[in-house]
Amino acid sequence: MIAEELLNQMIPPLKVSDTVGKAAKWLEEFHVGQLPVLDNRQYRGLVTEADLLDFELADDSGQLLAGLPLGYADVHVQHDQHFYSIMEVAIQNKVQLVPVLNKEREYLGVVTISDTLAAFGQPPIAAGQGAVLVLSMEERDYSLATISRYIEENGSKVLSAHVAQDEHDSYRIRLTIKVNTPSLTRIVATLERFGYAITAQFSGVGELGENEQERYDALLKYLSL
């Protein structure tokens, strides 16, 4: 699962034109220790409870966030990064949520630690191992029946599929498919032969390997702090 599939729509970003008072209220209301701050759609950093403390003590809740020296400007992931990367960023920086950006550094949303843990805790795609494939295509080219047939012709089956609009092109869609076999080589070759663009693939999704288990244990340790 990739970052943009885990976006939490319930946690809004703040703007540089918002006040310290609003930021403090939202941190309390949404039960988080940080919130992203945007300048238009550009990500500027995270505002934390510690950032606001001096202003609250001085009863200066009208101070704009634009005047705060925001931290965590480099703490984010790209929209197409695997959720392992989200875990690593959160653990390394000890944050509860990780902003997700596109290639232009425009803000798309956040993924929370609990969202990541839920994704990690999902059951394996199938008994044994499976894989995930992400395709990009024009809406007129979308036919799940056709795509499923190409996949089945390579000895695999589609277990689930999710369709989302492409954020950069309203005429294109993104299709995320889970299949029940670990190898995608033949499937990818077939789909590309018929003109489908493969934007991401994750093979061998199933039982946790040694490195994956270490990441999971690290996340659990972080959550218990």
Side-chain angles (χ1 to χ4, degrees), residues 107-121:
Y107 176 83
L108 300 178
V110 296
V111 178
T112 68
I113 284 294
S114 57
D115 295 330
T116 309
L117 182 60
F120 211 129

Side-chain angles (χ1 to χ4, degrees), residues 38-64:
L38 309 184
D39 186 354
N40 291 320
R41 294 187 60 190
Q42 298 295 309
Y43 171 66
R44 294 305 182 204
L46 296 176
V47 63
T48 70
E49 294 172 331
D51 294 332
L52 307 178
L53 185 58
D54 290 341
F55 293 95
E56 290 182 300
L57 291 175
D59 196 24
D60 191 10
S61 60
Q63 167 72 39
L64 298 183

Side-chain angles (χ1 to χ4, degrees), residues 162-182:
H162 174 71
V163 180
Q165 199 74 39
D166 191 313
E167 299 89 351
H168 310 296
D169 188 340
S170 59
Y171 294 101
R172 296 183 71 83
I173 61 172
R174 185 183 66 254
L175 175 64
T176 301
I177 296 176
K178 296 181 181 180
V179 299
N180 67 339
T181 50

